[in-house]
Amino acid sequence: MKTWFITGASSGLGRTLAETVLRHGDNAIVTARSVAALAGLVERHPHQVLPLALDLTVPAGIEPALSSALERFGAIDVLVNNAGYGLLAALEETDDAHLLRNLETNLIGPLRVIRAAIPLLRQQGHGHIISVSAIAAFANEPGFSVYGAAKAGLEAASEALAGELAPFGIAVTVVVPGPFRTDFLGRSLDTVPRLPVYQATVGKFAALLSSIDGKQPGDPTRAAEAIYAIAGLPKPPFRLVLGRYASNKFEKRLHVLEAELQAWKAVGMPTEYPRA
Ligand SMILES: NC(=O)c1ccc[n+]([C@@H]2O[C@H](COP(=O)([O-])OP(=O)(O)OC[C@H]3O[C@@H](n4cnc5c(N)ncnc54)[C@H](OP(=O)(O)O)[C@@H]3O)[C@@H](O)[C@H]2O)c1
């Protein structure tokens, strides 16, 4: 039996993951900005759940949340940084408030949670940090510059963390979903007024997203089972790409990167000092 700490468990992937781990008999500390949104989980699993209010843009809430978790269950085996939301805007269309809130929620907040949890996990001598990224981190589209930057930052940090924390028995994984049927394209997609000059690019992507809302191919229950399957494995994957859409897009991007590296090697390689 494991104890999970899952952020953003009020809906979507986080909620479904919480339901999955509880169904498997594990314990879960579940967070959302309002604990009222977690009431259903508590009613169904009163002995296995600790609901906590946590807003990732409020750093002061993080340490107390982790302390309450430890007090209740004595350990955190799997930490899931799931909470997040999209910002659909050309960079030029954003202001600082939109930019910073997105980076704070999707990147800085999760890094603060991880940083605060590391001493506990080190002391335990084990732990698995799983962060929910997005395919936009690796293969992005016009309109997701800020969101993609936040998720790419989370992935880059996680890669370094994997090396920093391996000596302490702590594993790190990033989960990379494509479109999953959650509230992401509804209440979790922030927008700004569109400048007409971005209609053909950002507007086109926005139209695509709104056309798939409610019809996304990704099934949160299957995603949760996949995450459950890799949690706590002796050698979990660093990156778990979820769904056919994201897998295909990832693969296509790998080919583009490989071709670009080869095509421009002759320009990039000779920039070192001549070898002695
Ligand atoms: N669904 C997709 O297509 C998709 C694709 C790629 C990546 N993702 C990623 O998957 C993760 C989960 O999203 P989802 O698809 O399950 O969407 P969702 O159903 O809208 O869930 C988003 C969760 O994030 C929480 N959240 C948002 N802002 C927060 C903040 N400032 N502080 C704390 N919690 C906050 C929400 O909690 P509140 O109740 O407090 O609002 C909610 O529980 C996100 O990181 C998202 O970027 C989703």
Side-chain angles (χ1 to χ4, degrees):
M1 193 193 61
K2 294 187 186 62
T3 296
W4 296 64
F5 187 106
I6 304 170
T7 66
S10 56
S11 66
L13 294 173
R15 174 60 162 242
T16 314
L17 180 63
E19 278 161 1
T20 300
V21 311
L22 293 166
R23 209 173 41 247
H24 280 278
D26 289 355
N27 297 321
I29 300 100
V30 289
T31 80
R33 281 172 291 184
S34 151
V35 271
L38 303 164
L41 288 171
V42 183
E43 272 161 33
R44 281 195 299 285
H45 308 273
H47 305 297
Q48 292 165 260
V49 175
L50 175 65
L52 295 175
L54 181 62
D55 184 334
L56 287 174
T57 65
V58 182
I62 294 171
E63 293 273 2
L66 290 167
S67 300
S68 308
L70 271 198
E71 206 170 289
R72 170 76 185 265
F73 293 115
I76 295 170
D77 302 306
V78 189
L79 165 64
V80 185
N81 288 296
N82 162 75
Y85 73 94
L87 171 59
L88 181 58
L91 184 63
E92 188 186 347
E93 294 169 335
T94 65
D95 54 22
D96 258 8
H98 283 90
L99 176 77
L100 295 175
R101 195 168 80 87
N102 197 269
L103 292 177
E104 190 125 48
T105 306
N106 291 327
L107 175 60
I108 317 271
L111 291 185
R112 286 188 178 126
V113 172
I114 294 170
R115 186 179 60 188
I118 287 172
L120 321 173
L121 304 184
R122 261 198 310 111
Q123 238 166 8
Q124 291 174 182
H126 76 275
H128 192 171
I129 300 170
I130 300 177
S131 294
V132 179
S133 177
I135 189 62
F138 188 61
N140 209 356
E141 301 288 345
F144 266 179
S145 47
V146 176
Y147 176 65
K151 294 297 193 181
L154 189 57
E155 291 205 14
S158 297
E159 204 164 348
L161 278 167
E164 291 170 20
L165 302 180
F168 311 123
I170 303 166
V172 177
T173 293
V174 290
V175 169
V176 186
F180 274 71
R181 223 170 284 178
T182 68
D183 288 351
F184 183 75
L185 294 178
R187 75 182 183 100
S188 291
L189 192 59
D190 200 7
T191 52
V192 296
R194 178 113 320 114
L195 295 173
V197 287
Y198 288 107
Q199 201 44 46
T201 49
V202 178
K204 189 173 163 209
F205 183 53
L208 170 76
L209 292 184
S210 75
S211 76
I212 63 166
D213 190 17
K215 301 190 275 268
Q216 296 96 323
D219 174 355
T221 305
R222 288 165 202 253
E225 287 294 351
I227 295 169
Y228 191 83
I230 59 127
L233 287 180
K235 284 197 174 170
F238 169 70
R239 187 178 275 101
L240 179 68
V241 179
L242 297 179
R244 194 186 310 253
Y245 175 91
S247 278
N248 289 345
K249 204 162 177 187
F250 198 97
E251 213 166 352
K252 222 165 137 188
R253 182 84 182 127
L254 284 176
H255 293 314
V256 170
L257 290 180
E258 170 67 14
E260 193 169 58
L261 178 70
Q262 299 308 334
W264 292 95
K265 247 184 182 170
V267 177
M269 289 275 268
T271 54
E272 293 187 353
Y273 289 108
R275 287 194 176 173

